[in-house]
């Protein structure tokens, strides 16, 4: 059997952290939480669980904060979760079986299922939302463009697929999605601009339409009813905001 570290970054997650920690108790040999100076009860709740180490770190950026958490793990295999996530019973068993066998793969991917507005979303852009979240420490690191981070595997590393879902308790209302779209697209446009990416009117006008058609029709978002329509529309609006904010940054820098 191999030892497993679980790493989580937090900031004011008192509503979520207990559920997340409870879901990994049976498989975690250590749990490392990198907390961005929470002002609620996140740390006191986390400290009540066994094998938890809490590290205070002012927020460095999503990618940077998660790479710091990964670097602090002392075991060779690491499961990385967000505080608003938990493991389904099926995924928990799949990870436990791999742990018992010594982890036959250097990396593992799994589906993520989001709970939104009283409903589990099982179609459209939000599902299956496959993520790589369990790796051998030398097999990859966090990359991407803030705030949409993802694990980038080292050259030649392949990820195996695990059964089950990460359960994502992200949004309780439509208002939360709208607010996060505005906040995240500001961060994303800035990160894209700094990387030399550029927008234009074709992207502003047509990329949102493509995003809606893809999510609602091709990925069967309509099967999730009203919430499915809202999500497809929200993804399209997110796309619009991202490109028009990037265009605005270009204009101001000219």
């Amino acid at each position: 059997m191999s030892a497993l570290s679980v790493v989580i970054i937090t900031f004011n997650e008192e509503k979520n952290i207990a559920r997340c920690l409870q879901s990994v108790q049976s498989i975690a040999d250590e749990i490392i939480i990198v907390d961005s100076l929470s002002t609620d009860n996140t740390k006191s709740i986390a400290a009540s669980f066994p094998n938890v180490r809490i590290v205070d770190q002012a927020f460095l950026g999503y990618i940077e904060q998660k790479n710091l958490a990964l670097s602090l793990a002392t075991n060779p295999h690491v499961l990385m979760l967000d505080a608003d996530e938990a493991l389904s019973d099926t995924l928990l068993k799949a990870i436990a079986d791999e742990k018992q066998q010594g982890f036959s793969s250097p990396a593992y991917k799994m589906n993520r299922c989001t709970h939104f507005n009283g409903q589990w979303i099982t179609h459209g852009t939000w599902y299956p939302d496959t993520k790589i979240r369990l790796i051998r420490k030398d097999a990859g690191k966090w990359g991407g463009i803030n705030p949409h981070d993802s694990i980038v595997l080292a050259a030649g590393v392949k990820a195996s697929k695990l059964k089950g879902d990460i359960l994502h308790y992200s949004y309780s209302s439509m208002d939360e999605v709208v607010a996060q779209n505005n906040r995240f697209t500001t961060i994303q446009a800035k990160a894209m601009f700094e990387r030399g990416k550029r927008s234009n009117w074709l992207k502003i006008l047509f990329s949102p339409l493509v995003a809606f058609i893809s999510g609602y029709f091709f990925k069967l978002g309509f099967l999730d009813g009203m919430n499915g329509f809202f999500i497809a529309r929200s993804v399209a609006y997110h796309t619009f905001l991202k490109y028009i904010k990037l265009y605005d940054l270009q204009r101001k820098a000219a």
Side-chain angles (χ1 to χ4, degrees), residues 113-161:
C113 187
T114 296
H115 191 266
F116 168 67
N117 206 23
Q119 176 184 352
W120 288 107
I121 303 301
T122 55
H123 305 88
T125 306
W126 284 10
Y127 192 82
D129 194 23
T130 304
K131 306 289 187 184
I132 297 172
R133 290 296 188 81
L134 173 56
I135 64 170
R136 195 177 62 225
K137 274 189 73 173
D138 62 354
K141 63 180 181 178
W142 289 96
I145 297 177
N146 279 321
H148 298 293
D149 47 66
S150 60
I151 288 291
V152 179
L153 296 177
V157 174
K158 303 292 185 182
S160 300
K161 183 73 177 291

Side-chain angles (χ1 to χ4, degrees), residues 4-177:
L4 178 67
S5 298
V6 176
V7 300
I8 307 163
I9 69 169
T10 58
F11 176 68
N12 289 349
E13 292 284 358
E14 64 181 9
K15 294 181 179 179
N16 293 310
I17 191 62
R19 178 180 57 232
C20 180
L21 293 174
Q22 186 62 48
S23 78
V24 299
Q25 282 299 293
S26 63
I27 57 170
D29 295 286
E30 71 169 357
I31 300 172
I32 296 173
I33 293 175
V34 177
D35 184 77
S36 304
L37 312 181
S38 290
T39 57
D40 65 358
N41 294 317
T42 298
K43 291 195 288 185
S44 60
I45 294 170
S48 69
F49 284 82
N51 300 323
V52 171
R53 175 188 171 198
I54 301 171
V55 176
D56 290 322
Q57 173 61 57
F59 191 60
L60 302 170
Y62 290 93
I63 294 168
E64 297 80 5
Q65 199 84 346
K66 290 183 178 183
N67 275 327
L68 172 61
L70 176 60
S71 73
L72 294 173
T74 62
N75 293 311
H77 292 89
V78 186
L79 173 66
M80 295 157 285
L81 294 175
D82 291 337
D84 61 0
E85 296 173 340
L87 305 182
S88 71
D89 291 342
T90 300
L91 180 55
L92 179 65
K93 182 180 184 304
I95 295 174
D97 289 347
E98 286 295 318
K99 181 183 178 186
Q100 181 67 37
Q101 297 165 15
F103 293 111
S104 58
S105 176
Y108 297 88
K109 57 187 176 181
M110 54 213 73
N111 293 341
R112 184 170 73 162
C113 187
T114 296
H115 191 266
F116 168 67
N117 206 23
Q119 176 184 352
W120 288 107
I121 303 301
T122 55
H123 305 88
T125 306
W126 284 10
Y127 192 82
D129 194 23
T130 304
K131 306 289 187 184
I132 297 172
R133 290 296 188 81
L134 173 56
I135 64 170
R136 195 177 62 225
K137 274 189 73 173
D138 62 354
K141 63 180 181 178
W142 289 96
I145 297 177
N146 279 321
H148 298 293
D149 47 66
S150 60
I151 288 291
V152 179
L153 296 177
V157 174
K158 303 292 185 182
S160 300
K161 183 73 177 291
L162 293 175
K163 293 181 179 179
D165 293 326
I166 297 172
L167 303 178
H168 188 208
Y169 296 86
S170 183
Y171 309 106
S172 61
S173 70
M174 294 180 179
D175 285 344
E176 289 184 6
V177 177

